[in-house]
Amino acid sequence: MNFVLLIVFILQTALSIVLGTFFKNSVSDYVQIYLTQVLPIFIPALICCLMSADGFRGFARNTKPSVLNIILCIILAVCANIILSFLTTFADNILFPNNSNNLSDINLPQTTFEFVLDIIFICLMPAIFEETLFRGAVLTSYEKIYGSKKAIMLCGFVFALMHNSISHFIPQFIIGVFLSFVVLKFDSLYLGMIAHFTNNFTTLFIQCIILEKWSGSKTVLFRNPFATLIVFILIFATAMVAALRLNRNISFKQKSLPWKVRKREKKYFKLIVLLFIILQLVFYFFKIT
């Protein structure tokens, strides 16, 4: 699995460099998103499904999540997104107090049609493709290599690595761990897709509807950030307690692959991390020069 991830990482990095260097102004953002989602993510995920003995059904786990679990999953994803957004904004203001509002760097949709396209390409497509690869193929394999508990952390780690951004590494890692936990605890890849879509849509909704519409005067949601953060933490905690009590029957698995296989997989994992560090250093010094 880690060898596949190494190929995915190389393909994704190469494709991003090519698109950003040679086709930045000639190819639309939607086409670039489509290419970076299909070629390095969905196709490898599809190959993993075809090579797996159980196919996609083995990755999907429980194929019939209950309505209550779906509702809890959506609540958890919305709260996790908003809590993480507040915390990262607070950290950015402390570490980089002179930075301007990063909202201006985001290409917000100007029409309803563009908003629908954003929902498809930014929210729905990554939710399906990335979850099939990371919480489907990767998490399932990592359970056999490392055991379920360690697999949650490592799957979140490689999920952040594959986004190839050192500045967004910690938020992506937290989201990756959260989505991995959701899939394992609820025993459903579909709920992971729902949580991923909800997370992306919440970001899009806040940026496009709330911040854009009331950019001059803060909304109730942002007028008192500390009180808002406390409220969402309490909602998240309540929903999490309910989810844990409703899904007590799901147990974490122990590593099951032979020692030699696990040793080989760990070598590839270290190679991925090393390659990520090298690329970040190259990008950093390239920007400096």
Side-chain angles (χ1 to χ4, degrees):
M1 188 68 250
N2 283 329
F3 177 74
V4 173
L5 281 179
L6 181 62
I7 301 301
V8 168
F9 184 67
I10 294 173
L11 286 175
Q12 195 172 38
T13 303
L15 185 60
S16 298
I17 293 174
V18 170
L19 290 175
T21 304
F22 300 103
F23 301 98
K24 185 175 182 180
N25 299 322
S26 59
V27 178
S28 70
D29 292 339
Y30 298 117
V31 173
Q32 292 188 41
I33 293 173
Y34 178 80
L35 292 175
T36 55
Q37 285 289 319
V38 172
L39 295 180
I41 295 178
F42 178 68
I43 292 179
L46 184 61
I47 293 174
C48 289
C49 288
L50 295 175
M51 293 178 62
S52 174
D54 298 326
F56 181 76
R57 182 175 297 179
F59 296 160
R61 301 170 187 260
N62 177 20
T63 57
K64 295 181 180 180
S66 66
V67 175
L68 183 56
N69 275 341
I70 293 175
I71 294 173
L72 287 173
C73 184
I74 293 173
I75 294 173
L76 288 172
V78 171
C79 292
N81 178 281
I82 294 176
I83 292 169
L84 188 58
S85 297
F86 274 112
L87 293 178
T88 52
T89 301
F90 179 74
D92 287 341
N93 289 336
I94 293 178
L95 297 175
F96 310 103
N98 296 324
N99 279 7
S100 58
N101 189 353
N102 59 6
L103 184 63
S104 60
D105 299 331
I106 301 171
N107 295 323
L108 297 177
Q110 302 300 315
T111 64
T112 303
F113 180 66
E114 289 185 0
F115 183 72
V116 173
L117 288 179
D118 279 3
I119 293 176
I120 296 173
F121 284 90
I122 297 176
C123 302
L124 182 61
M125 190 178 294
I128 297 175
F129 293 171
E130 292 181 6
E131 289 307 300
T132 301
L133 176 62
F134 291 104
R135 256 61 62 176
V138 175
L139 187 59
T140 302
S141 297
Y142 274 15
E143 283 188 279
K144 300 174 183 178
I145 301 170
Y146 307 103
S148 295
K149 293 182 179 180
K150 195 172 182 179
I152 291 175
M153 304 301 294
L154 292 179
C155 187
F157 186 80
V158 296
F159 179 73
L161 283 181
M162 294 301 159
H163 283 79
N164 206 8
S165 173
I166 194 67
S167 59
H168 295 95
F169 181 85
I170 293 179
Q172 292 292 350
F173 169 72
I174 295 174
I175 289 297
V177 170
F178 167 72
L179 292 173
S180 299
F181 178 81
V182 165
V183 170
L184 284 186
K185 195 58 184 176
F186 287 94
D187 197 32
S188 175
L189 179 63
Y190 297 110
L191 285 178
M193 293 178 179
I194 292 173
H196 196 145
F197 173 85
T198 303
N199 174 75
N200 292 355
F201 181 79
T202 301
T203 300
L204 180 66
F205 181 81
I206 290 176
Q207 291 171 352
C208 297
I209 306 300
I210 299 179
L211 294 182
E212 178 71 6
K213 187 174 182 179
W214 291 289
S215 57
S217 59
K218 296 290 185 181
T219 67
V220 174
L221 185 63
F222 297 94
R223 195 171 296 156
N224 193 335
F226 182 74
T228 303
L229 181 62
I230 295 300
V231 169
F232 278 101
I233 289 176
L234 291 175
I235 296 174
F236 180 85
T238 303
M240 182 61 73
V241 170
L244 293 175
R245 290 188 174 182
L246 287 172
N247 297 276
R248 288 180 177 177
N249 56 323
I250 304 301
S251 58
F252 293 130
K253 299 176 182 178
Q254 300 297 321
K255 48 192 174 185
S256 57
L257 287 179
W259 177 80
K260 289 185 178 180
V261 177
R262 289 188 279 116
K263 185 178 180 180
R264 181 188 63 198
E265 290 290 341
K266 290 176 181 179
K267 288 183 179 179
Y268 283 122
F269 185 86
K270 293 177 181 178
L271 187 57
I272 295 172
V273 175
L274 179 62
L275 183 60
F276 172 78
I277 294 173
I278 293 173
L279 285 173
Q280 293 304 316
L281 290 174
V282 170
F283 293 154
Y284 175 78
F285 286 111
F286 178 77
K287 290 179 181 178
I288 292 296
T289 56

